[in-house]
Amino acid sequence: MPLDAQVLRSSQEILESQANLQSWSQGASLSPYEQLAMFQAEEAQLGGMEYPSLNTGFPSEFLPQPYLDGGGIQVPGNASLMQQLQHGRGNVFQELESAYQEPRPDLLGQFSMYQREDLQFSASAQHGPYMRDDPALQFSPSELGFMSFSMQVPEPEPRELAVQNAKAYLLQTSVNCNLSLYEHLVNLLTKILNQRPEDPLSILESLNRTAQWEWFHPKLDTLRDDPEMQLTYEMAERQKALFVRGGSGEGEQDMEEEVTETAVPNIMETAFYFEQAGVGLSSDESFRIFVALKQLVEQQPIRTCRFWGKILGLSGSYLVAEVEFREGEEEVEEEEVEELTEGGEATEAHGEEEGEEDEEKVTDVIPKPTWKPPPVIPKEESRSGTNKFLYFVCNEPGRPWTRLPHVTPAQIVHARKIKKFFTGRLDAPVISYPPFPGNEANYLRAQIARISAATHISPLGFYQFGEEEGDEEEEGRAGRDTYEENADFEGIPVLELVDSLANWVHHRQHILPQGRCTWVNPLQKTEEEEELGEEEEKADEGVEEVEQEIGPPLLTPLSEDAEILHTSPWTTRLSCSLCPQYSVAVVRSNLWPGAYAYAIGKKFENIYIGWGHKYSPENFNPSLPGPIQHEYPSGPEIMEMSDPTVEEEQALKAAQEHALATAEEEEEEEDEDEDEDADD
């Protein structure tokens, strides 16, 4: 056949096939298998490549089988359908189209559970390897319309039953959580298939732990984990408020007032000079402390404020601010001590009443102890001595400032006997021997008082005594407890400050062994105590008088400080020996490591950055317990006697009878003498 005629015949057959397909699409759509088979037939007819059958390699029971429509017409398979398409037979399409386009009148009324009868499969047709459980295959359509559905589920095979039991066992949830082993294995396998690691067996344990961790953290999302709030980010959020300037349109006026009058010290300048000396904090932390002190000044009625230093701790450190309130501003004192005192007095009074009642009931008098506790040393008043300044502390800039309570002499005395690290929590107990009277806030306040009294120094001549107080010296030199700045001070050259310690002086009062800056006689009675009875006065006569304690006066040069094992308690140096004309004089304390001071011209400052421990040349040893006291005085009146013998008892009885007879005779003689005198 010529090529043109063959091509023309092929084109006509293709057009006929397209026409038949168009009519088929109007009645019903082809299945994917039929479309692919039709495409393969066209390709083969046009001389293209031949495709293998889709059913190759499958068992016969899995192959698609023909089914019967409602009219009993068997619908051909893919091969017979393509043969009819190739030969131009259109009767099949017409029958199928009529079958789908002509609905049965009794379709909806006859069946209530199934929509179409022509979609039911024949009983002999096989669909897949699974058992059919369609109830329509066991009953006819007429029976389905007039009887209820009932069917017995066939019993599973032993192997299938074992699989179901195993799956039920794996689906049991854990006691501690709602997760089952089946779900965990599914999550683990899904994770492995999604990530596709190179060697999943070697990292199976880590993948298992990761899957468990993700399950027990409900905050995690499948797409993105929730960001955790880190400590640095949390602290940055807190410190963010320090850099926000509040106020309205009067910001310029507030700024002018702040520039002219402010109690906030120039922390950045102080940090610069201490940086030259090689000590201090970083510039970032110094600026945060500066804005934190500014916030403190805005919240409290503060007249003067300075950065005292930083005391390190195990869990957190303390930033210490030394402030002084304005005149007329009364500090709010804590009344815990007063409440405890009142409670103790009430308890003692109640005990005395009970004791009196017991004395009435019991004939034996219980001896009272003669020991009396040592008198309580009163604490110094506010704005004087160890309580001259107030101290506020915080752990980090941005956190709230906490005011420390006033220190008592007993706390200072006990703080000298112990050595404890700070924890960073003010309410933490101080466990030590001797027992410390207070918590960590009181211990911190006592250490601040000790460090301030020993390490706060200034150049000679910067401070001076007032003219009125120059000639007044009371007992213990308590009259010279204040000073003022010298307006005529011109400064001391840096080289002279480094060469001699006599150019530096203490400008804080020395703390006496009593725990106070000014000595108080503990035996001195008040007006109420002078009205006591004679018995208590006689009891106090045996007490020895206490010697008065005297300490070094104010503005004492450092050259008079006691040495530590032939070592000077202070070390002086220049910040830079290469250019001494531009250097800063630096003084370091060897008694309290971490205490520094600098001076240049008319400027000086003190700072402490350390653990709050005093240097001891020997190893620290806790105090030994006191000697054991005697329980009672030993004497013959309380000693046990040996039992007398029978002879001793008879002799004692005879002596008692003889004494009684003698006494009776003497009485008779006295009576006779009285009668004779009466007759005369």
Side-chain angles (χ1 to χ4, degrees):
M1 183 182 292
L3 181 59
D4 296 339
Q6 186 178 1
V7 171
L8 181 59
R9 182 179 178 182
S10 299
S11 301
Q12 291 177 358
E13 292 178 355
I14 291 173
L15 292 176
E16 292 177 0
S17 300
Q18 291 179 354
N20 294 333
L21 289 175
Q22 186 175 2
S23 61
W24 168 263
S25 62
Q26 294 178 359
S29 59
L30 295 175
S31 65
Y33 285 97
E34 296 172 349
Q35 294 178 5
L36 183 58
M38 182 181 65
F39 176 74
Q40 293 175 359
E42 293 176 357
E43 288 288 327
Q45 186 176 4
L46 293 176
M49 62 182 298
E50 296 183 359
Y51 294 90
S53 175
L54 295 176
N55 302 324
T56 304
F58 290 92
S60 59
E61 58 268 15
F62 290 99
L63 296 177
Q65 302 295 333
Y67 59 91
L68 301 176
D69 62 350
I73 302 175
Q74 183 177 2
V75 180
N78 296 335
S80 60
L81 177 62
M82 296 312 302
Q83 291 175 3
Q84 294 180 9
L85 290 175
Q86 293 175 5
H87 293 82
R89 297 178 181 178
N91 53 355
V92 178
F93 297 104
Q94 295 176 1
E95 294 178 1
L96 290 175
E97 185 176 356
S98 61
Y100 279 94
Q101 288 181 356
E102 296 178 2
R104 299 182 183 274
D106 57 344
L107 181 62
L108 297 178
Q110 184 177 0
F111 300 102
S112 59
M113 297 177 60
Y114 299 93
Q115 297 180 358
R116 298 185 57 168
E117 185 182 2
D118 57 346
L119 296 179
Q120 306 303 327
F121 299 97
S122 62
S124 61
Q126 299 292 333
H127 270 267
Y130 304 101
M131 182 180 293
R132 298 186 302 276
D133 56 354
D134 193 347
L137 301 178
Q138 299 182 7
F139 303 99
S140 62
S142 59
E143 293 176 347
L144 286 174
F146 298 98
M147 66 179 297
S148 59
F149 171 77
S150 63
M151 176 182 177
Q152 295 180 357
V153 180
E155 296 182 359
E157 299 180 357
R159 185 173 183 179
E160 184 179 356
L161 182 61
V163 172
Q164 292 179 1
N165 294 336
K167 185 175 181 181
Y169 170 74
L170 295 177
L171 286 174
Q172 293 179 356
T173 57
S174 176
V175 179
N176 301 326
C177 62
N178 295 327
L179 180 65
S180 64
L181 180 60
Y182 183 84
E183 294 174 343
H184 176 66
L185 293 176
V186 169
N187 296 335
L188 181 61
L189 294 176
T190 304
K191 191 179 187 66
I192 294 175
L193 294 176
N194 291 337
Q195 296 181 359
R196 303 263 181 192
E198 296 181 357
D199 191 2
L201 182 60
S202 60
I203 61 174
L204 183 61
E205 294 183 0
S206 62
L207 291 175
N208 184 21
R209 289 193 297 268
T210 305
Q212 289 181 345
W213 185 82
E214 291 177 354
W215 178 267
F216 290 108
H217 287 71
K219 294 184 178 180
L220 297 179
D221 192 6
T222 56
L223 298 178
R224 180 180 298 176
D225 298 344
D226 294 340
E228 297 182 359
M229 180 68 72
Q230 299 181 358
L231 296 177
T232 306
Y233 182 79
E234 183 180 358
M235 185 54 57
E237 287 292 334
R238 292 183 179 180
Q239 295 177 355
K240 184 179 179 180
L242 299 176
F243 298 91
V244 177
R245 185 177 184 84
S248 55
E250 301 178 357
E252 297 180 357
Q253 183 178 358
D254 297 341
M255 186 179 296
E256 293 178 359
E257 294 179 357
E258 184 178 353
V259 171
T260 55
E261 298 180 1
T262 180
V264 182
N266 193 351
I267 300 295
M268 301 308 297
E269 181 182 6
T270 304
F272 169 76
Y273 286 116
F274 277 117
E275 185 181 0
Q276 304 301 316
V279 296
L281 306 174
S282 62
S283 58
D284 295 342
E285 187 173 3
S286 299
F287 188 78
R288 294 191 185 99
I289 294 173
F290 170 72
V291 292
L293 291 177
K294 180 181 176 183
Q295 185 184 39
L296 176 63
V297 171
E298 293 175 355
Q299 296 174 355
Q300 302 291 338
I302 295 175
R303 184 174 65 89
T304 60
C305 176
R306 62 177 293 269
F307 178 58
W308 186 88
K310 183 177 182 179
I311 293 184
L312 307 178
L314 300 178
S315 301
S317 303
Y318 292 109
L319 300 175
V320 185
E322 183 183 83
V323 303
E324 186 177 4
F325 281 176
R326 291 191 289 265
E327 295 292 338
E329 297 288 345
E330 297 294 336
E331 300 91 2
V332 180
E333 296 291 342
E334 297 181 359
E335 299 180 357
E336 295 181 358
V337 178
E338 297 180 0
E339 293 178 358
L340 292 175
T341 306
E342 293 175 359
E345 293 177 355
T347 306
E348 291 178 1
H350 183 66
E352 292 177 359
E353 294 177 359
E354 291 181 354
E356 294 177 357
E357 294 177 358
D358 295 339
E359 288 178 2
E360 295 177 357
K361 296 179 181 179
V362 183
T363 57
D364 296 337
V365 179
I366 300 176
K368 296 182 180 180
T370 58
W371 179 85
K372 291 184 178 181
V376 179
I377 307 299
K379 68 178 180 180
E380 294 181 295
E381 297 180 356
S382 180
R383 301 179 186 270
S384 63
T386 54
N387 295 323
K388 184 176 182 180
F389 297 95
L390 299 176
Y391 294 91
F392 288 83
V393 297
C394 69
N395 298 111
E396 291 288 343
R399 293 189 177 181
W401 291 91
T402 305
R403 175 186 165 185
L404 297 179
H406 284 324
V407 67
T408 61
Q411 293 172 355
I412 294 179
V413 171
H414 285 79
R416 289 170 173 167
K417 300 178 182 179
I418 63 176
K419 183 176 288 188
K420 296 286 291 184
F421 282 100
F422 293 96
T423 62
R425 301 184 303 273
L426 293 176
D427 57 347
V430 180
I431 303 174
S432 63
Y433 182 82
F436 183 79
N439 54 11
E440 185 166 308
N442 303 107
Y443 180 60
L444 176 63
R445 181 64 181 85
Q447 293 298 94
I448 290 174
R450 296 178 61 198
I451 296 171
S452 300
T455 63
H456 281 199
I457 58 177
S458 59
L460 178 64
F462 187 87
Y463 292 111
Q464 65 179 3
F465 294 109
E467 297 179 358
E468 299 178 357
E469 299 179 356
D471 300 332
E472 296 181 1
E473 291 187 7
E474 300 178 2
E475 291 184 2
R477 301 181 182 180
R480 313 184 80 174
D481 58 350
T482 58
Y483 49 82
E484 61 184 12
E485 292 186 10
N486 184 10
D488 300 331
F489 179 71
E490 297 296 336
I492 301 176
V494 176
L495 295 178
E496 295 182 7
L497 292 173
V498 174
D499 293 340
S500 176
L501 290 175
N503 293 321
W504 295 86
V505 296
H506 292 275
H507 60 265
R508 291 291 176 89
Q509 287 182 284
H510 176 74
I511 300 178
L512 301 174
Q514 191 182 45
R516 290 170 54 100
C517 294
T518 56
W519 185 78
V520 172
N521 187 3
L523 302 179
Q524 185 178 1
K525 300 179 181 180
T526 60
E527 297 179 356
E528 297 179 356
E529 295 176 350
E530 290 178 356
E531 299 177 358
L532 297 175
E534 296 180 357
E535 297 180 358
E536 295 184 359
E537 291 181 358
K538 292 180 181 179
D540 295 340
E541 289 179 358
V543 181
E544 298 180 359
E545 295 183 358
V546 181
E547 296 183 1
Q548 181 179 354
E549 299 175 356
I550 300 176
L554 273 175
L555 305 183
T556 302
L558 302 187
S559 56
E560 299 182 7
D561 291 359
E563 295 184 352
I564 309 172
L565 293 180
H566 308 287
T567 303
S568 175
W570 299 93
T571 301
T572 59
R573 64 180 178 86
L574 288 174
S575 61
C576 181
S577 59
L578 299 178
C579 49
Q581 62 274 17
Y582 300 110
S583 299
V584 179
V586 183
V587 182
R588 177 173 59 89
S589 175
N590 298 326
L591 189 62
W592 289 93
Y596 293 87
Y598 82 90
I600 178 172
K602 297 183 180 181
K603 299 178 181 179
F604 80 95
E605 190 56 73
N606 296 270
I607 196 173
Y608 178 82
I609 303 176
W611 295 93
H613 292 165
K614 186 178 180 180
Y615 170 75
S616 58
E618 300 177 356
N619 294 332
F620 173 76
N621 294 320
S623 302
L624 297 176
I628 300 175
Q629 298 180 355
H630 295 287
E631 295 184 1
Y632 52 87
S634 180
E637 65 276 2
I638 61 174
M639 294 179 62
E640 294 184 359
M641 302 291 291
S642 59
D643 294 337
T645 60
V646 178
E647 290 78 7
E648 291 176 352
E649 290 180 354
Q650 292 177 356
L652 178 62
K653 185 177 181 180
Q656 290 177 351
E657 291 177 353
H658 178 71
L660 182 60
T662 305
E664 291 178 354
E665 292 177 358
E666 291 178 355
E667 289 180 357
E668 291 177 357
E669 291 178 358
E670 290 178 357
D671 293 339
E672 292 177 357
D673 293 340
E674 290 178 357
D675 294 339
E676 291 177 357
D677 294 338
D679 294 339
D680 296 340

